[in-house]
Amino acid sequence: MYFSLIRGKKVSDNNKTGLLNTMQDRLRVPWRGGAKQVAFDSILPVIILPSMLLLGSISLWWTVFSFTTVAIFLSLIFNFLIKTIPNTKFFFVWTVTSMVLLYFIFEFIVIPFLEILVEENILLSALIFGFIICLYTTKIRANELTSLGTEECESSVGKEVGGFYNCRICDNKIPDKDHHCVWFDCCISKHNQCCFIAALFFAIAALLYSSNLTLTSVCHPFEFYKTILLPDDCSDVYYQFELALSFVSAIYSIAIAILLTVILLQQIFLVSIGMSLKEWNKLSIISKLCLGLNTKRIHNRGFLKNWSKIICWNKYQYHPLNREV
Amino acid sequence: MITRCVRIICALVICVAVYFPARHARHYEYIPLKKVIQELTFVDGTPHSENHLRNCSYEDLILKSKEVPVSDITKPKKFELPLRGGEYIPRQCNSIIKTAIVVPYRNRSEQLQIFLNYMHSFLQQQSIHYKLFVVEQNNSLPFNRAQMINYGASVAISLNYPCLVLHDVDLIPLSTGNIYACSERPRHMSSSLDTFRYNLPYLTLFGGAIAILSQQYEEVNGMSNLFFGWGGEDDDFYTRLISHNLFPYRFDPEISRYSMLFHRKQPKNEERYETLKKSLKENKNDGLNNLHRKYYIVQEDLFTRIVVF
């Protein structure tokens, strides 16, 4: 591989995978009963996120620099990790680290400013709790599918499976698969899509609410239509480290909330027209511009039935195909 | 079983640590709007009672309080030109409120202009007899807010003003019913401040704008002169009042809303806690009774300037 780099030749995928596996094997931390192997890709978010927020607290230009750098890094590493380490935990650890870090900054840096009421804190915690419950349920339901093994499945009476799709990351065939969400580290299908959408909603609400509380605490607020507090002057947050760190974490929250809102709207749109994300990605550009309405949608059953198919209390019953009958 | 108990105990500890009310802004007791008028103290008729004017009424003003939009603060206001030195005596009725507004000040000329333009208009609508004192610190020491207030208060008391309002130059009242008069007990006026998200950070907060009777101010020997730089002098003042059984209170948040004019945050006085301990033992000898004489008074058009060296 070294000689390949010297000669300017492309490194083969096998060599790349081998290198990463070696790095992973060498990375260990002291643990009870001996050194425990820790995946290299799982450690990265725990290092990158605190560094990004701390660097961003230095000044406005450092904020722009650190956020831009991390955004570029993520976009570069996204495809690379998916291809070389299909079951990478990098993105899921990123999600968990973000959540823990933002909550910690909120509770132990913003709350001590003494400007947020206890009921406001409780409401935020309720939203976070709702998100965690939905995330947990999403993953539980996803695991139920993989536990069916590699055998093909048959739906219960009256229900119709829209098709089995192989998930390279899960290494399994998933019925009614919509897409694999690397940030939640599980497949999304009709089986758990409702929980996924609810998790997105709670996450967006919690992120926007916490960033509003934070920004109105560290900046000068004004009342919008005499009910909602909004920040209007944040020009001196960088003169104090606590204010800057709170401000930067609030900006990060808003950025995530915007991305999640895009995903949520996409999910709502796709469910409404009866397509999965995989099908949508295969459409031509012209079809996408027509919102997919001019394309044959084999799974579309109309707006109401599409939504009723993913409703939370529906519980699919998948059984192994009885080959002997 | 033990594991479950440990988990429950840990969960309880975390809940208490995270949701303990003292970590948050506080709800506070206040005098409701309808009872505010009963708390006010009034002076008897003034020498102008010879004009046979009826006494001014303040009940409607308080009960029909309206909120001033924050965007209106910096707009030019129309008001009757006060007497030289910033004194105003209403002519349409006989004022039974006589208030000295004491503003500690240094190097905030832009804010002072906004403040004067707004406050003369605001106070004249209340039909009260008032005079504005701006006490300017003219030395290179860190700003000593409390000492400036002491100078302003001593001048106002010598002019027989029975009511003092100790007022920061960057605070603007937003409620028209927020009457600049004194009450039975010292009142914390700015309990609903926009930079604190209109919440009260802690129950013993006593900074910003305070209304106190001159007699009460003399009783506690004013404020401590030991606090240079930002912070601590209002907590000391609060403690002085408590030790003299003068328990401060607040009016309805509806008439206690203030907006803070923007300024760079001041560095905190790192020694304020040590100074606070020291001043608690010294309040009999530290305050109104140990001010030096090095100041002079200038009668400006809109206010009385007291320059302290």
Side-chain angles (χ1 to χ4, degrees), chain A residues 103 107-108 111-122 125-126 212-213 216-223 226 229 233 235-236 239-240 243, chain B residues 17-27 67-70 193-202 257 259-266 268:
Chain A
Y103 187 71
E107 286 296 337
F108 296 104
I111 292 287
F113 293 148
L114 297 176
E115 298 182 22
I116 292 168
L117 298 164
V118 66
E119 48 262 39
E120 288 167 330
N121 193 8
I122 290 175
S125 298
N212 174 272
L213 291 177
T216 51
S217 292
V218 304
C219 309
H220 186 265
F222 74 102
E223 267 187 342
K226 296 199 185 293
L229 272 188
D233 191 340
S235 54
D236 66 342
Y239 291 99
Q240 208 175 316
L243 299 181
Chain B
V18 168
Y19 300 113
F20 196 65
R23 299 185 71 239
H24 302 80
R26 307 295 298 276
H27 296 292
E67 183 160 340
V68 181
V70 175
L193 181 59
D194 63 356
T195 53
F196 292 149
R197 304 182 69 252
Y198 297 108
N199 290 327
L200 188 70
Y202 51 99
R257 295 171 75 87
S259 181
M260 181 178 278
L261 301 176
F262 174 75
H263 56 83
R264 181 68 44 77
K265 286 189 188 341
Q266 301 301 307
K268 293 181 169 68

Side-chain angles (χ1 to χ4, degrees), chain A residues 48-61:
Chain A
I48 293 173
L49 272 168
S51 305
M52 178 186 78
L53 294 178
L54 289 176
L55 283 179
S57 303
I58 297 172
S59 73
L60 177 59
W61 295 115

Side-chain angles (χ1 to χ4, degrees), chain A residues 15-277:
Chain A
N15 281 349
K16 226 183 286 184
T17 305
L19 175 67
L20 286 177
N21 284 341
T22 303
M23 294 177 68
Q24 182 162 319
D25 189 61
R26 295 286 187 270
L27 190 63
R28 293 166 184 267
V29 295
W31 202 259
R32 193 180 344 146
K36 182 186 174 75
Q37 181 175 343
V38 173
F40 169 78
D41 48 304
S42 298
I43 284 288
L44 274 181
V46 180
I47 298 169
I48 293 173
L49 272 168
S51 305
M52 178 186 78
L53 294 178
L54 289 176
L55 283 179
S57 303
I58 297 172
S59 73
L60 177 59
W61 295 115
W62 275 101
T63 303
V64 173
F65 171 76
S66 68
F67 275 59
T68 305
T69 302
V70 169
I72 293 172
F73 169 80
L74 271 184
S75 57
L76 291 180
I77 205 173
F78 190 88
N79 288 326
F80 174 77
L81 277 182
I82 297 290
K83 283 176 183 171
T84 56
I85 311 177
N87 63 341
T88 179
K89 293 288 192 282
F90 174 90
F91 302 101
F92 183 63
V93 175
W94 186 285
T95 301
V96 174
T97 306
S98 294
M99 200 171 74
V100 171
L101 207 53
L102 292 176
Y103 187 71
F104 186 87
I105 290 175
F106 182 81
E107 286 296 337
F108 296 104
I109 294 180
V110 177
I111 292 287
F113 293 148
L114 297 176
E115 298 182 22
I116 292 168
L117 298 164
V118 66
E119 48 262 39
E120 288 167 330
N121 193 8
I122 290 175
L123 174 55
L124 175 68
S125 298
L127 292 173
I128 294 173
F129 185 72
F131 165 71
I132 292 173
I133 291 294
C134 292
L135 172 59
Y136 180 76
T137 307
T138 302
K139 286 177 76 68
I140 287 291
R141 289 194 170 191
N143 288 339
E144 287 174 358
L145 298 183
T146 59
S147 69
L148 293 174
T150 55
E151 298 185 58
E152 293 193 346
C153 299
E154 177 183 16
S155 65
S156 63
V157 175
K159 305 265 181 197
E160 195 175 330
V161 176
F164 289 88
Y165 301 92
N166 184 56
C167 178
R168 197 170 66 92
I169 300 174
C170 295
D171 194 23
N172 229 322
K173 286 185 186 295
I174 308 295
D176 287 316
K177 181 190 172 186
D178 183 83
H179 70 286
H180 183 97
C181 179
V182 291
W183 305 99
F184 287 10
D185 193 37
C186 65
C187 259
I188 307 299
S189 69
K190 294 281 195 290
H191 194 53
N192 60 357
Q193 193 163 16
C194 173
C195 301
F196 177 67
I197 292 175
L200 289 178
F201 173 79
F202 277 115
I204 293 165
L207 289 165
L208 290 180
Y209 190 52
S210 76
S211 60
N212 174 272
L213 291 177
T214 301
L215 291 176
T216 51
S217 292
V218 304
C219 309
H220 186 265
F222 74 102
E223 267 187 342
F224 187 58
Y225 286 106
K226 296 199 185 293
T227 46
I228 301 171
L229 272 188
L230 292 178
D232 75 351
D233 191 340
C234 300
S235 54
D236 66 342
V237 292
Y238 288 103
Y239 291 99
Q240 208 175 316
F241 174 73
E242 291 92 350
L243 299 181
L245 184 57
S246 308
F247 177 76
V248 170
S249 71
I251 296 299
Y252 180 58
S253 295
I254 292 178
I256 300 176
I258 291 172
L259 293 175
L260 292 186
T261 302
V262 171
I263 295 174
L264 177 62
L265 293 178
Q266 184 185 51
Q267 286 287 301
I268 291 173
F269 169 71
L270 290 180
V271 172
S272 301
I273 67 171
M275 298 190 84
S276 70
L277 189 57

Side-chain angles (χ1 to χ4, degrees), chain B residues 277-289:
Chain B
K277 290 178 190 170
K278 180 182 176 186
S279 65
L280 293 181
K281 308 169 186 171
E282 303 248 358
N283 60 58
K284 285 195 170 66
N285 304 308
D286 167 37
L288 275 178
N289 59 4

